[in-house]
Amino acid sequence: MLAALLPLLAALLVTAPTAAAARNEAVDVVPTATLTEVTDFGTNPSNLRMYVYVPDNVTANPAVLVAVHWCTGSGPDMYNGTEYDTLADQYGFVVVYPSVTRSSKCFDVSSPQALRRDGGSDPVGIKSMVDWVTRTYDADTSRVFATGISSGAMMTNVLLGDYPDVFAAGAAFSGVPFGCFATADGSEWNSACAQGTVSRTAQQWGDIARAAYPGYTGPRPRMQLWHGTEDDVLRYPNFGEMIKQWTNVHGVSQTPAATDTPQSGWTRTRYGGTGDRAPVEAISLQGVGHNLYSHGMAARVLTFFGLDSGGPAPQPQPQPGACKVTATTNAWNTGLTASLTITNTSTTPINGWQLGFTLPTGQTITNGWGATYTPATGTVTAVGASYNAALAPGASVGIGYQANHTGNSAAPGTFTLNGTACTAG
């Protein structure tokens, strides 16, 4: 018996640790409440350095915020110059600070490699950093965000264009549109773009962003834009060009849905929605130059992202005039998956949607994607996630769930969207 047990014991000793154990080991490697450099985090073609801040009270399945520095700066400079670490202490998310090692200390937002998904250069390294945090802390992949200042703002635009399936939203302080800085001669600087002389139609800008990930049809990240009217480095016309680009990417009107003045000298416009999580939010600062970031702005970023627990929930738009839902199921024995496609067939944009339907008798939802489903049986309400809350006229979103059944594997037959009855497809 002993001879038989020895091989078994040896096998147990070399068995790979459980996911929980692996996570705990990795967490022990990264001290909390201090900026820590992480090496060997994954594919890193441009030799970026990765710094991470993990709060003492990091939440289960935390959100991830990528905070990207300016030219001549570094990850530690971004850490010291902003308050995202103290906000992480308050709300429990993880902050990643990428850091450039090339001599200019500027991020690559101009090369062909940087301007396409998985093309190489800095975006690939930053994506590896996000993946490392996701693996290590079981991070919530639906709550990954990017923000940056100047060169970091331009990289924020690039990240959202290259990886619309990774980032839920971004906030760019003094940036330029995705692709505006593109060069073909190896130069990092595009003077025409910096001077604000590159002007394109909204459709052209949108097409440039969409070309980074050909064939992608999923939801697009929301974007918050900040710019000073007296910016003499990346001039103010770039602000309007970014608004063109991201409203087109989201398929919403360039006419603001709401305009207000949250602070003296600020003009805030929201597109495609009126709430704190509109598809596009733009803040113009009158008489302010390139270095516009100041204390307190990070809290407004968190409200737009939905990372502050005190932030308002997405505000539903008025009821749509018309909507359509198609539903299909794929069943086996006592289980099924259901796929739902919601289409806004009205002329009114929706920012924040809730889909109501009744499950057939005997069905119980066990998990879902694209929305939060409550309750698990009977009359269900599916509430959209932050990254797919906006539905422009004619736009669609796909969601789904897995359920158990006791014999009836049919799809729901009637639906309401924000209280309005929808046509069943």
Side-chain angles (χ1 to χ4, degrees):
M1 180 179 296
L2 180 60
L5 283 174
L6 286 175
L8 176 59
L9 290 171
L12 289 172
L13 289 173
V14 299
T15 298
T18 65
R23 177 182 181 276
N24 290 334
E25 288 171 9
V27 171
D28 290 341
V29 171
V30 180
T32 59
T34 185
L35 188 68
T36 304
E37 183 171 9
V38 175
T39 58
D40 299 325
F41 51 83
T43 305
N44 184 24
S46 53
N47 196 33
L48 297 179
R49 298 175 74 174
M50 174 186 178
Y51 295 88
V52 64
Y53 181 85
V54 180
D56 283 330
N57 63 333
V58 61
T59 62
N61 309 120
V64 182
L65 174 61
V66 178
V68 194
H69 68 74
W70 52 90
C71 275
T72 75
S74 67
D77 290 339
M78 188 71 176
Y79 167 79
N80 290 318
T82 59
E83 60 269 39
Y84 293 111
D85 58 322
T86 58
L87 291 168
D89 289 337
Q90 186 174 357
Y91 298 115
F93 57 87
V94 177
V95 191
V96 174
Y97 298 92
S99 195
V100 171
T101 57
R102 64 178 62 88
S103 60
S104 66
K105 299 300 176 69
C106 296
F107 285 92
D108 176 13
V109 296
S110 58
S111 75
Q113 292 78 19
L115 297 175
R116 68 177 186 270
R117 178 184 178 84
D118 296 337
S121 197
D122 296 348
V124 170
I126 295 173
K127 169 64 162 51
S128 295
M129 298 178 194
V130 171
D131 291 342
W132 184 92
V133 174
T134 299
R135 291 192 306 270
T136 305
Y137 294 95
D138 298 326
D140 184 347
T141 56
S142 71
R143 295 191 303 145
V144 178
F145 305 91
T147 186
I149 300 171
S150 189
S151 179
M154 293 192 281
M155 177 52 70
T156 298
N157 278 265
V158 169
L159 290 172
L160 268 59
D162 283 357
Y163 296 103
D165 55 331
V166 173
F167 293 93
F173 291 83
S174 305
V176 304
F178 178 98
C180 186
F181 244 57
T183 59
D185 60 359
S187 172
E188 295 180 34
W189 191 257
N190 185 318
S191 294
C193 179
Q195 292 300 309
T197 62
V198 177
S199 178
R200 295 187 170 94
T201 67
Q203 183 67 41
Q204 288 171 330
W205 279 126
D207 288 344
I208 290 171
R210 286 183 287 268
Y213 187 3
Y216 177 73
T217 59
R220 294 281 174 172
R222 297 178 300 111
M223 176 61 96
Q224 184 185 63
L225 304 166
W226 300 72
H227 222 99
T229 61
E230 301 304 312
D231 193 325
D232 59 355
V233 178
L234 301 173
R235 293 191 180 273
Y236 188 67
N238 282 301
F239 182 59
E241 300 301 301
M242 285 187 288
I243 293 172
K244 286 184 195 177
Q245 183 171 66
W246 291 104
T247 53
N248 182 266
V249 165
H250 279 279
V252 300
S253 172
Q254 293 178 58
T255 301
T259 302
D260 65 356
T261 306
Q263 189 168 309
S264 178
W266 294 14
T267 300
R268 178 171 60 189
T269 48
R270 287 167 168 165
Y271 304 85
T274 59
D276 283 326
R277 302 181 202 173
V280 180
E281 179 175 276
I283 302 98
S284 173
L285 282 68
Q286 183 64 39
V288 175
H290 185 64
N291 298 321
L292 62 79
Y293 181 87
S294 63
H295 186 86
M297 291 179 176
R300 294 182 180 272
V301 170
L302 258 60
T303 297
F304 180 73
F305 289 169
L307 285 180
D308 58 334
S309 59
Q315 301 177 9
Q317 290 294 100
Q319 295 179 357
C323 48
K324 177 182 177 181
V325 178
T326 59
T328 59
T329 59
N330 181 24
W332 64 92
N333 296 334
T334 59
L336 64 87
T337 57
S339 298
L340 310 179
T341 301
I342 308 165
T343 303
N344 177 10
T345 55
S346 74
T347 58
T348 304
I350 303 168
N351 183 41
W353 53 263
Q354 297 185 11
L355 182 72
F357 58 91
T358 301
L359 285 173
T361 301
Q363 291 187 15
T364 302
I365 293 176
T366 56
N367 61 73
W369 52 93
T372 301
Y373 300 83
T374 53
T377 61
T379 302
V380 177
T381 299
V383 179
S386 61
Y387 61 82
N388 65 5
L391 270 178
S396 299
V397 61
I399 63 174
Y401 57 85
Q402 184 171 332
N404 295 328
H405 69 84
T406 57
N408 186 350
S409 60
T414 58
F415 301 89
T416 60
L417 188 64
N418 291 2
T420 293
C422 296
T423 302

